[in-house]
């Protein structure tokens, strides 16, 4: 019964996503909460919606299995949470494709209003070494891809965050499970 209910919930969420949201629209949800370093969630009309941040990959918390959290996953989640806490308001710019490959999460850029200026949280996470550019970056313009790469390069050059562990960040923008902080 549990799996059938889960499938029904996912089907209902997909239908509601198509009903409430349109590609390239900007939404300003209330009470956005952090799932992990590259995913947030919010509620609308009693439904919970997840948003995967476009173009970045943060280390996995591994909460749904027996593995321990990857290095810097907790720091990435906490930093994203702090940005949301400090924000006067939040906007999410939705991706042209609207959902990820699983069709269970919206895709978008998360912008927080800090001191009267909107800031893309992905820029902060990349510059602080708490995320890396995701190599499959559909939905990013060429300029955005270059900015993401430059921010990550600076974090790598200064060996901060995920870049402080030799070999931890792989060439495809993922994290080597066998590398741990020293």
């Amino acid at each position: 019964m549990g799996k059938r209910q889960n499938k029904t919930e996912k089907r209902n969420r997909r239908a509601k996503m198509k009903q409430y949201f349109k590609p390239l629209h900007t939404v300003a949800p209330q009470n956005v909460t952090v799932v992990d370093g590259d995913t947030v969630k919010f509620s609308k009309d009693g439904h919970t919606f997840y948003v995967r941040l476009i173009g970045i990959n943060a280390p996995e918390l591994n909460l749904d299995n027996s593995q321990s959290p990857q290095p810097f996953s907790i720091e990435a989640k906490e930093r994203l949470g702090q940005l949301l806490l400090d924000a006067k308001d939040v906007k999410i710019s939705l991706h042209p494709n609207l959902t990820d490959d699983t069709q269970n999460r919206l895709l978008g850029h998360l912008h927080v209003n800090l001191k009267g200026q909107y800031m893309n949280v992905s820029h902060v996470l990349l510059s602080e070494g708490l995320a890396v550019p995701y190599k499959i970056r559909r939905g990013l313009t060429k300029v955005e891809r270059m900015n993401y790469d430059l921010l990550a390069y600076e974090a790598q050059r200064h060996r901060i965050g995920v870049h402080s562990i030799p070999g931890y960040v792989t060439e495809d923008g993922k994290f080597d499970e066998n590398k741990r902080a020293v």
Side-chain angles (χ1 to χ4, degrees), residues 114-166:
L114 300 173
K115 301 178 184 172
Q117 267 189 297
Y118 282 95
M119 176 182 300
N120 183 336
V121 299
S122 296
H123 291 183
V124 176
L125 296 171
L126 288 165
S127 67
E128 294 179 5
L130 298 174
V132 296
Y134 194 59
K135 293 305 171 187
I136 302 170
R137 297 182 279 179
R138 296 180 302 256
L140 291 182
T141 66
K142 185 176 182 177
V143 170
E144 287 172 321
R145 284 193 298 273
M146 288 173 32
N147 285 337
Y148 279 32
D149 288 340
L150 180 60
L151 291 166
Y153 170 77
E154 285 300 315
Q156 181 182 13
R157 193 169 70 85
H158 294 289
R159 292 184 172 88
I160 58 175
V162 297
H163 304 288
S164 66
I165 304 171

Side-chain angles (χ1 to χ4, degrees), residues 48-120:
T48 300
F49 298 99
Y50 293 82
V51 179
R52 174 70 163 80
L53 303 182
I54 299 172
I56 67 167
N57 188 31
E60 299 299 325
L61 288 169
N62 294 323
L63 296 177
D64 57 348
N65 60 39
S66 61
Q67 294 179 321
S68 60
Q70 291 179 329
F72 296 99
S73 60
I74 295 168
E75 292 86 343
K77 180 182 180 184
E78 289 174 351
R79 181 63 172 126
L80 185 51
Q82 189 61 52
L83 289 166
L84 287 171
L85 186 63
D86 293 344
K88 291 182 181 177
D89 61 293
V90 174
K91 290 183 181 180
I92 300 171
S93 304
L94 297 175
H95 185 274
N97 292 342
L98 194 60
T99 62
D100 67 359
D101 292 338
T102 68
Q103 297 186 356
N104 289 314
R105 298 183 294 188
L106 294 163
L107 291 172
H109 294 285
L110 176 62
H111 300 272
V112 293
N113 183 345
L114 300 173
K115 301 178 184 172
Q117 267 189 297
Y118 282 95
M119 176 182 300
N120 183 336

Side-chain angles (χ1 to χ4, degrees), residues 57 59-60 62 67 69-71 132 162 165-181:
N57 188 31
E60 299 299 325
N62 294 323
Q67 294 179 321
Q70 291 179 329
V132 296
V162 297
I165 304 171
Y168 180 46
V169 178
T170 65
E171 286 187 28
D172 60 352
K174 296 184 179 176
F175 304 96
D176 186 336
E177 290 287 333
N178 298 315
K179 304 290 182 182
R180 295 290 175 200

Side-chain angles (χ1 to χ4, degrees), residues 13-25:
R13 185 179 322 130
R14 285 185 208 126
K16 290 296 178 186
M17 281 192 288
K18 289 178 182 176
Q19 176 185 344
Y20 289 135
F21 309 109
K22 301 294 179 224
L24 299 174
H25 281 188

